[in-house]
Amino acid sequence: MQRYVFASPVTLDREAFNSVATLENVCNEFFDVSLSGARELELLFELLGVADVAEESLPYSEDFNSVIDLSTSKLPEFSTEEFDAFYGEWLARSGRESDMDEYGQLIFLQGYAKSGIRTCISSCCV
């Protein structure tokens, strides 16, 4: 499984992504979502309506592989019914199992849609 960290740092300066410690200095909170890899991340973005994102490698980072700037996209704020439909579609298209971890990580992501998530960071060690 690949872990993807979603965060709302106060800066998009690449120095902020050198490690978990430097990210903590510019970000009140962040959380991770476990996916099988880039294909599932692309599917998640598609279902959330996030388009035209570019991944940038972070070769000097201690903890992260790459960063995706989401600052030009806004994650949708789903109603309960809309989230249930999104979750059902996610399970059908990803082939993932419905369990509390799966539901929890996506509902947590949904909870942060209001805060304006700015980045998705591919992590190796978080």
Side-chain angles (χ1 to χ4, degrees), residues 7-13 16-17 23-28 118-119:
S8 295
V10 296
T11 179
L12 291 177
D13 178 1
F17 308 113
L23 183 61
E24 287 176 334
N25 290 333
V26 297
C27 195
N28 289 333
R118 298 179 68 193
T119 60

Side-chain angles (χ1 to χ4, degrees), residues 82-93:
E82 290 168 330
F83 181 81
D84 289 344
F86 157 77
Y87 185 65
E89 183 69 13
W90 167 253
L91 294 176
R93 293 190 50 197

Side-chain angles (χ1 to χ4, degrees), residues 87-111:
Y87 185 65
E89 183 69 13
W90 167 253
L91 294 176
R93 293 190 50 197
S94 69
R96 293 175 64 105
E97 295 293 320
S98 181
D99 60 31
M100 289 306 292
D101 289 336
E102 187 70 19
Y103 187 85
Q105 72 179 0
L106 295 178
I107 200 75
F108 200 75
L109 178 62
Q110 171 64 110

Side-chain angles (χ1 to χ4, degrees), residues 2-66:
Q2 177 73 36
R3 296 173 75 181
Y4 294 90
V5 176
F6 287 82
S8 295
V10 296
T11 179
L12 291 177
D13 178 1
R14 295 306 181 248
E15 299 276 322
F17 308 113
N18 285 343
S19 67
V20 172
T22 56
L23 183 61
E24 287 176 334
N25 290 333
V26 297
C27 195
N28 289 333
E29 54 190 329
F30 50 88
F31 62 99
D32 68 277
V33 173
S34 294
L35 302 171
S36 67
R39 291 188 113 155
E40 276 191 358
L41 181 64
E42 290 169 11
L43 174 60
L44 179 61
F45 284 162
E46 177 186 330
L47 292 174
L48 292 173
V50 175
D52 300 322
V53 295
E55 189 169 9
E56 183 181 328
S57 179
L58 296 171
Y60 303 108
S61 179
E62 295 173 19
D63 298 317
F64 305 116
N65 296 325
S66 60

